């Protein structure tokens, strides 16, 4: 659908009000909210650019709000806490992030998922063949205690980065969200008062529900940034534009494939191009 619309726009130097409304309807069907959709077409009819170019420029300008590069804190050791709802691809994304960072870091991974032992096995299968250390000595069932032991092992094997995979959870589960805060407090206690970086993993097919997840996880945990997964499937991806307006939470990476190397730093220009070409449909 968007490719047909884009083709129409590229053939016309100017467009009328009816066509502007058609663009708005498309954007809304692609999970962009009405207010943001109207913002994107605000100056499209009286621009010196071609309509298609102006729409792309407006998208890029909107996304620069959330275009913040992923940078690890400059200290001897740090931790990343990976969080998200069930089924978003968090464990696989944790492995992808480890692969992305392993060139410049000594990494230890811990699967602090006390509910799903298969998550730890998945990390071992994916990462140990690549020489990435996966913490496997579990004396406790409490996730915070698991992280405490993993942090000590990371220090003993000279890892400068501990990446913590956690159990998937809905933001509406108060007890499980409190568990994440307990993990944060544990890391702070054993790391000279340094909090972990919190990364929220979002399913690219979740639509506007993804925005709600960002808002609620932010309230509970002060999320540092996002990784959006599954953008190689049926994702409409317009909710990413909504995130830039509703939460302004930085987007660090997107995942556009199932391979361990299919993690890409978020780039507004590339996203706008792919979005308008219908690559996320």
């Amino acid at each position: 659908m968007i490719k047909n619309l884009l083709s129409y726009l590229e053939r016309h130097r100017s467009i009328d009000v009816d066509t502007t409304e058609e663009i708005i309807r498309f954007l809304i069907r692609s999970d962009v909210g009405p207010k943001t959709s109207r913002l994107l077409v605000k100056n499209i009819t009286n621009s010196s650019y071609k309509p298609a170019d102006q729409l792309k420029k407006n998208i890029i300008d909107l996304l620069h709000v959330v275009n913040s590069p992923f940078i690890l804190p400059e200290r001897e050791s740090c931790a990343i806490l990976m969080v998200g709802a069930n089924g978003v691809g968090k464990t696989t994304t944790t492995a992808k992030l480890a692969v992305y960072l392993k060139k410049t870091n000594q990494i230890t991974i811990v699967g602090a998922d006390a509910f799903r032992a298969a998550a730890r096995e998945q990390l071992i299968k994916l990462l140990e063949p690549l020489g990435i250390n996966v913490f496997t000595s579990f004396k406790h069932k409490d996730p915070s205690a698991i992280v405490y032991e993993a942090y000590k092992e990371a220090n003993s094997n000279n890892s400068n980065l501990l990446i913590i995979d956690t159990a998937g959870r809905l933001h509406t589960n108060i007890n499980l969200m409190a568990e994440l805060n307990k993990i944060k407090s544990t890391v702070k206690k054993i790391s000279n008062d340094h909090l972990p970086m919190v990364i929220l993993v979002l399913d690219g097919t979740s639509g506007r529900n993804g925005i709600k997840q960002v808002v609620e996880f932010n309230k509970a945990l002060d999320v540092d940034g996002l990784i959006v997964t599954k953008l190689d499937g049926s994702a409409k991806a317009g909710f990413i534009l909504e995130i830039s307006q509703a939460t302004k939470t930085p987007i660090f990476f997107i995942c556009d494939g199932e391979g361990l190397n299919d993690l890409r730093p978020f780039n507004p220009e590339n996203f706008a191009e792919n979005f308008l070409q219908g690559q996320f449909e």
Side-chain angles (χ1 to χ4, degrees):
M1 181 187 305
I2 180 117
K3 286 186 282 190
N4 293 336
L5 176 59
L6 189 61
S7 176
Y8 176 87
L9 292 177
E10 288 174 343
R11 295 195 306 269
H12 294 76
R13 183 72 186 179
S14 60
I15 56 177
D16 56 23
V17 173
D18 289 340
T19 307
T20 302
E21 291 299 318
E22 183 181 347
I23 299 170
I24 290 172
R25 285 192 290 272
F26 156 74
L27 292 169
I28 291 173
R29 287 195 295 269
S30 298
D31 289 329
V32 183
K35 184 177 179 180
T36 303
S37 296
R38 294 196 175 278
L39 183 64
L40 287 172
V41 301
K42 186 175 181 180
N43 61 344
I44 202 170
T45 57
N46 57 2
S47 170
S48 59
Y49 292 93
K50 291 180 180 180
D53 293 336
Q54 184 61 54
L55 181 58
K56 180 179 178 180
K57 181 180 183 300
N58 289 351
I59 290 173
I60 291 170
D61 289 345
L62 201 70
L63 290 174
H64 274 301
V65 176
V66 294
N67 183 34
S68 179
F70 175 85
I71 301 174
L72 284 172
E74 292 186 4
R75 52 179 182 257
E76 288 187 4
S77 63
C78 57
I80 297 174
L81 182 63
M82 305 290 286
V83 302
N86 304 77
V88 298
K90 184 167 40 53
T91 297
T92 304
T93 303
T94 298
K96 290 179 180 180
L97 183 62
V99 171
Y100 182 87
L101 296 173
K102 76 183 184 71
K103 291 181 181 179
T104 54
N105 297 276
Q106 183 68 31
I107 299 171
T108 291
I109 299 283
V110 55
D113 186 341
F115 304 102
R116 189 169 74 94
R120 298 193 293 272
E121 295 170 1
Q122 184 180 358
L123 289 170
I124 292 168
K125 181 178 179 180
L126 290 170
L127 297 177
E128 284 199 338
L130 301 176
I132 297 174
N133 182 50
V134 181
F135 178 76
T136 57
S137 178
F138 289 88
K139 303 175 183 178
H140 310 277
K141 289 186 177 181
D142 177 64
S144 296
I146 293 171
V147 170
Y148 181 85
E149 295 296 328
Y151 198 96
K152 290 198 300 183
E153 178 172 305
N155 282 342
S156 69
N157 66 24
N158 296 317
S159 293
N160 67 300
L161 176 59
L162 176 68
I163 304 180
I164 306 162
D165 182 30
T166 61
R169 66 202 69 214
L170 294 175
H171 54 269
T172 52
N173 191 314
I174 297 173
N175 290 336
L176 289 181
M177 295 300 282
E179 184 180 85
L180 291 177
N181 268 306
K182 185 178 177 183
I183 293 174
K184 281 186 67 175
S185 297
T186 297
V187 172
K188 182 180 179 181
K189 181 179 179 180
I190 61 177
S191 64
N192 295 321
D193 219 30
H194 295 303
L195 286 169
M197 176 181 285
V198 179
I199 296 181
L200 173 63
V201 181
L202 287 179
D203 185 333
T205 66
S206 62
R208 295 184 62 78
N209 183 51
I211 301 164
K212 182 68 173 176
Q213 290 178 33
V214 178
V215 170
E216 296 303 324
F217 271 90
N218 250 325
K219 285 180 183 177
L221 295 166
D222 294 324
V223 172
D224 292 286
L226 311 174
I227 298 178
V228 183
T229 66
K230 305 181 184 180
L231 287 177
D232 56 326
S234 60
K236 295 179 181 179
F239 82 100
I240 288 179
L241 298 171
E242 278 297 287
I243 287 171
S244 70
Q245 293 298 289
T247 75
K248 297 180 172 56
T249 305
I251 301 173
F252 290 148
F253 299 97
I254 61 171
C255 297
D256 55 5
E258 296 182 2
L260 285 178
N261 293 308
D262 293 327
L263 184 75
R264 315 265 184 255
F266 179 70
N267 181 289
E269 289 78 9
N270 290 345
F271 177 87
E273 182 70 28
N274 290 332
F275 180 70
L276 290 176
Q277 293 292 342
Q279 296 298 313
F280 301 125
E281 294 185 328

